[in-house]
C-alpha cells in the first residue's frame, strides 16, 4: 500500500489551485516520478513532492509571509519585495500542515523548488528539474535539450536551467535571490 493518499491529495489540490496550475502540478508529478525511476529515487516520494510543489500558489503575499513568520521560517527583504518567491517556503509549511507530509526530503524539495539550493538531494533536484521540463511547459528556452539532459545528467540539467533562469532574470531586470546565484555557482563547480 502507498504511504500517501494520492486521490485525496489530488482532490484537495484541484480545489485549491486554478485549472491551469493543477494541470501543471500533474505534469510535474508524473515527470518527477519518471525521473525518480531513472535516477534510483523513491518514486512515490517524487510523485508526492511534484504534486505538492506549488500547493501555496493560490495564497496571497500576506498569507505566505504570515505562514513563514508563524512557522519560524526566515523571510528575507528580497522575498518580501518579490513575494512570488515565497510560494516555495510557504508550500513546504502547508504540505506539512494541510497535507500531512512528514518526509523532510519532500518538504525540502517543495521549499527549494524555485531557487534551488547548494547541495540539493536527488529528490530536490528531480522536483527542480521536473518543474521546468514538464510536458505542459512550452514557452521556455532550451526545453528540447534540457528534457533529454534531465534523464542523463541531473546536475548538468540543474546547472543549465539555472543558467537560463539567471539570463531571463537579467533580461527582465528582476531581482536575483542570492539562493539562485549560490545554487548556480555550486552546480557550476560540480557539473560537467
Ligand atoms: O511556480 P512555477 O511558475 O511553476 O515555477 P517556479 O516556482 O520555478 O517559479 C518560476 C518563477 O520564479 C520564474 O518566473 C523565475 C522566478 N525566479 C526564480 N529564481 C528567481 C526568480 N525570481 C526572482 N525575482 N529572483 C530569483 O532569484
Ligand atoms: Fe513554483
Ligand atoms: Fe511549478
Amino acid at each position: 500500500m502507498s504511504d500517501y493518499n494520492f486521490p485525496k491529495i489530488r482532490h484537495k489540490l484541484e480545489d485549491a489551485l486554478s485549472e491551469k496550475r493543477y494541470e501543471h502540478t500533474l505534469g510535474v508529478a508524473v515527470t518527477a516520478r519518471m525521473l525518480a525511476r531513472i535516477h534510483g529515487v523513491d518514486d512515490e516520494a517524487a510523485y508526492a513532492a511534484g504534486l505538492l510543489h506549488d500547493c501555496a500558489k493560490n495564497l496571497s503575499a500576506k498569507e505566505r509571509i504570515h505562514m513563514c513568520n508563524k512557522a519560524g521560517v526566515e523571510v528575507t527583504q528580497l522575498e518580501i519585495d518579490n513575494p512570488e518567491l515565497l510560494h516555495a517556503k510557504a508550500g513546504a509549511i502547508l504540505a506539512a500542515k494541510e497535507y500531512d507530509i512528514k518526509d523532510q526530503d519532500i518538504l525540502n524539495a517543495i521549499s527549494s523548488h524555485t531557487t534551488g539550493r547548494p547541495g540539493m538531494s536527488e529528490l530536490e533536484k528531480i522536483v527542480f528539474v521536473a518543474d521546468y521540463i514538464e510536458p505542459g511547459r512550452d514557452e521556455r528556452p532550451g526545453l528540447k535539450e534540457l528534457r533529454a539532459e534531465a534523464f542523463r545528467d541531473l546536475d548538468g540539467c540543474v546547472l543549465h536551467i539555472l543558467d537560463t533562469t539567471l539570463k531571463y532574470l537579467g533580461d527582465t531586470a528582476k531581482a536575483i535571490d542570492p539562493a539562485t546565484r549560490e545554487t548556480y555557482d555550486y552546480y557550476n563547480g560540480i557539473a560537467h
Side-chain angles (χ1 to χ4, degrees):
M1 212 185 93
S2 172
D3 286 346
Y4 307 95
N5 187 340
F6 287 130
K8 191 174 165 194
I9 293 175
R10 281 194 300 261
H11 280 132
K12 212 165 154 163
L13 285 168
E14 198 172 6
D15 271 352
L17 302 174
S18 70
E19 196 180 338
K20 201 171 158 221
R21 182 60 51 182
Y22 181 64
E23 287 295 320
H24 162 68
T25 281
L26 295 179
V28 174
V30 171
T31 304
R33 185 170 220 162
M34 186 89 93
L35 286 169
R37 292 257 172 97
I38 299 278
H39 294 293
V41 170
D42 177 349
D43 71 303
E44 292 216 333
Y47 186 76
L51 275 182
L52 288 163
H53 82 285
D54 275 340
C55 71
K57 204 76 179 181
N58 63 320
L59 301 185
S60 68
K62 209 175 145 188
E63 286 170 320
R64 290 171 188 175
I65 293 167
H66 179 68
M67 275 185 75
C68 289
N69 287 340
K70 222 174 115 188
V73 172
E74 190 204 352
V75 174
T76 65
Q77 187 58 47
L78 189 140
E79 288 171 327
I80 292 172
D81 296 339
N82 302 272
E84 170 62 15
L85 289 167
L86 279 173
H87 78 279
K89 284 181 181 176
I93 299 165
L94 201 64
K97 276 209 168 82
E98 296 286 327
Y99 294 86
D100 209 25
I101 299 297
K102 296 179 176 70
D103 181 338
Q104 191 58 48
D105 200 16
I106 295 179
L107 300 176
N108 290 345
I110 298 170
S111 181
S112 70
H113 87 265
T114 301
T115 61
R117 68 177 177 113
M120 286 188 281
S121 71
E122 296 299 290
L123 179 70
E124 287 179 83
K125 287 185 274 188
I126 281 172
V127 173
F128 182 83
V129 164
D131 190 25
Y132 200 93
I133 68 161
E134 65 97 358
R137 294 272 201 219
D138 51 14
E139 78 283 23
R140 295 181 159 192
L143 273 173
K144 193 171 178 210
E145 293 74 17
L146 290 168
R147 283 179 173 137
E149 190 175 34
F151 290 89
R152 242 189 8 249
D153 176 7
L154 264 185
D155 287 346
C157 191
V158 167
L159 175 67
H160 294 131
I161 288 172
L162 286 161
D163 189 29
T164 308
T165 300
L166 284 170
K167 283 197 183 102
Y168 160 79
L169 292 171
D171 288 348
T172 52
K174 290 198 176 162
I176 294 171
D177 192 305
T180 306
R181 171 95 50 211
E182 283 162 20
T183 309
Y184 174 83
D185 289 343
Y186 178 90
Y187 287 96
N188 196 29
I190 66 163
H192 309 291

